[in-house]
Amino acid sequence: MKPRILIIYTGGTIGMMKNAETGALEPFDFNGIREHIPELRLFDYDIDNYQFRPPIDSSDMTPDLWVSMADIISTRYDHYDGFVLLHGTDTMAFTASALSFMLEGLAKPVVLTGSQLPIGAMRTDGRENLITAIEIAAARTQDGRPRVPEVCIYFASHLYRGNRTTKENAEKFNAFASYNYPPLARAGININYNDTFIHQPPANERLILHRTLDNRVLALTLFPGIRPQLIENVFRMPDIRGIVLRTFGSGNAPSKSWFIDALRSASEAGKVVINITQCQSGSVEMGLYQTGIRLREAGVVSGRDMTVEAAVAKLMVLFGQGLDADEVRRRMEIAIAGEIS
Ligand code: ASP
């Protein structure tokens, strides 16, 4: 049987064309995609399109839109072998992270891609990104199972686990990096899959959709000179349930009592504070220095080598499930979708 692929166009640069008269970038009707990329006709696949109207610039992304994407995938899950989600690059790593936690038990490929240059531009990177993403979404193992049954990002010849990625470059074609997990595949003349790092779901895995998200979360970057008043106010905010604390190095933070006391009060008030390093690569290790040990004593949990994008999305999904603070803390420290080494 021919592979059946659904392309979901949410928005972003990839779906833009330059208006020849005004010079402005405008979204085009994705149903006409084959006119822009005639190579798509060469695929021996059944390819359908779904288009978000209006298309979303991904800097306008919201949890409600993640729910729409997850709904589109889950309601068509049995009908398609793979999904290609076209998305702006700006928040693609957040969306990929959120979907990886919302689509529990996923056993089919969900490949996100986009481009730095619009598909209508002569030097566009969108053409290669889209064509290879489709090929990956349709790829099967010799015994007929999907080759990459997880949420991933394909960009500039690299396939990454979605919840390990970060947008690292606003200029170059290779916009994404996965600092703490190797690429799942590299595309050259052939697509070479890194099978040992690709998640393999157990046979008969069932998709469980988590479609309630709680966005009462916050990411806070520490810096030398941050004011005690600010820390106290932020950690006391009643409307915040989870805080991603972007610490220094291997998870270190000020050791002064105003800081530790604010953290302890927040934890005692049922807020979940998660320690994520500001370093791009490497892991939080809270037992290494005295400052890290004091954070743990104040109730802070280690995010180890999780990205900020994954930590924010994971908090939203876990709180959305109605779990209590202790259970959220417990699950934040373990991998639930391959987001922690
Ligand atoms: N602002 C655009 C977006 O993220 C940029 C892009 O698509 O690369 O939607």
Side-chain angles (χ1 to χ4, degrees):
M1 249 199 14
K2 283 190 199 178
R4 286 175 299 195
I5 303 297
L6 181 65
I7 302 177
I8 304 164
Y9 172 59
T10 67
T13 301
I14 190 163
M16 300 278 177
M17 290 280 294
K18 203 173 223 165
N19 180 317
E21 276 155 38
T22 62
L25 283 180
E26 292 172 357
F28 71 89
D29 186 351
F30 227 81
N31 290 320
I33 181 73
R34 283 177 184 76
E35 280 146 44
H36 297 285
I37 312 185
E39 295 92 320
L40 289 179
R41 296 202 183 94
L42 299 176
F43 277 131
D44 193 20
Y45 308 154
D46 285 329
I47 301 177
D48 293 330
N49 297 327
Y50 184 101
Q51 184 163 348
F52 273 55
R53 287 180 203 278
I56 324 278
D57 185 305
S58 82
S59 36
D60 275 327
M61 195 46 59
T62 62
D64 287 347
L65 290 165
W66 293 336
V67 172
S68 304
M69 292 174 207
D71 281 344
I72 292 163
I73 293 168
S74 70
T75 52
R76 291 159 181 80
Y77 191 65
D78 293 334
H79 189 75
Y80 290 99
D81 297 300
F83 301 85
V84 173
L85 207 127
L86 301 179
H87 194 288
T89 57
D90 288 346
T91 61
M92 192 187 290
F94 285 94
T95 298
S97 299
L99 291 177
S100 76
F101 303 124
M102 295 166 79
L103 300 169
E104 187 183 334
L106 182 75
K108 294 187 178 184
V110 174
V111 187
L112 282 81
T113 194
S115 66
Q116 295 282 59
L117 280 176
I119 214 125
M122 276 222 287
R123 291 173 46 248
T124 185
D125 50 332
R127 182 183 306 265
E128 195 280 319
N129 284 349
L130 174 57
I131 290 172
T132 310
I134 294 172
E135 205 172 323
I136 291 168
R140 292 174 184 160
T141 58
Q142 273 176 348
D143 56 355
R145 286 176 295 113
R147 192 81 199 243
V148 192
E150 51 175 298
V151 179
C152 34
I153 289 185
Y154 177 75
F155 219 90
S157 306
H158 289 81
L159 182 72
Y160 299 117
R161 174 168 292 165
N163 58 29
R164 294 298 195 125
T165 57
T166 298
K167 183 171 180 183
E168 63 150 7
N169 206 307
E171 218 274 323
K172 295 192 176 147
F173 282 143
N174 55 342
F176 290 92
S178 166
Y179 290 104
N180 289 325
Y181 200 72
L184 305 182
R186 280 176 216 266
I189 292 175
N190 298 304
I191 301 175
N192 292 312
Y193 292 93
N194 210 351
D195 287 320
T196 36
F197 292 100
I198 297 174
H199 169 70
Q200 288 308 330
N204 303 323
E205 183 82 312
R206 269 193 37 249
L207 184 71
I208 302 167
L209 178 63
H210 299 287
R211 60 189 308 289
T212 308
L213 274 71
D214 188 335
N215 66 354
R216 286 176 287 176
V217 305
L218 173 88
L220 180 71
T221 303
L222 294 180
F223 52 89
I226 196 163
R227 292 168 55 228
Q229 184 98 57
L230 183 125
I231 290 288
E232 278 154 19
N233 288 343
V234 166
F235 280 79
R236 236 191 270 127
M237 281 166 71
D239 214 21
I240 292 294
R241 302 185 72 193
I243 299 166
V244 176
L245 192 62
R246 302 194 61 219
T247 56
F248 309 119
S250 53
N252 303 313
S255 54
K256 298 279 182 297
S257 53
W258 59 264
F259 186 76
I260 302 294
D261 290 348
L263 288 179
R264 186 175 299 108
S265 312
S267 301
E268 282 168 6
K271 297 186 200 305
V272 173
V273 184
I274 163 123
N275 188 347
I276 301 282
T277 175
Q278 292 176 27
C279 296
Q280 288 177 313
S281 168
S283 183
V284 163
E285 285 185 53
M286 277 164 52
L288 214 55
Y289 294 93
Q290 193 56 34
T291 55
I293 294 169
R294 294 199 71 195
L295 292 182
R296 188 170 282 292
E297 285 164 5
V300 176
V301 295
S302 172
R304 296 169 46 195
D305 65 347
M306 230 188 314
T307 61
V308 172
E309 293 88 334
V312 166
K314 188 172 172 182
L315 280 172
M316 287 193 199
V317 175
L318 292 182
F319 278 121
Q321 288 172 37
L323 305 172
D324 65 26
D326 279 339
E327 187 56 20
V328 172
R329 284 190 192 106
R330 193 184 72 76
R331 294 196 198 183
M332 287 305 287
E333 287 196 310
I334 56 171
I336 59 172
E339 73 283 11
I340 297 177
S341 298

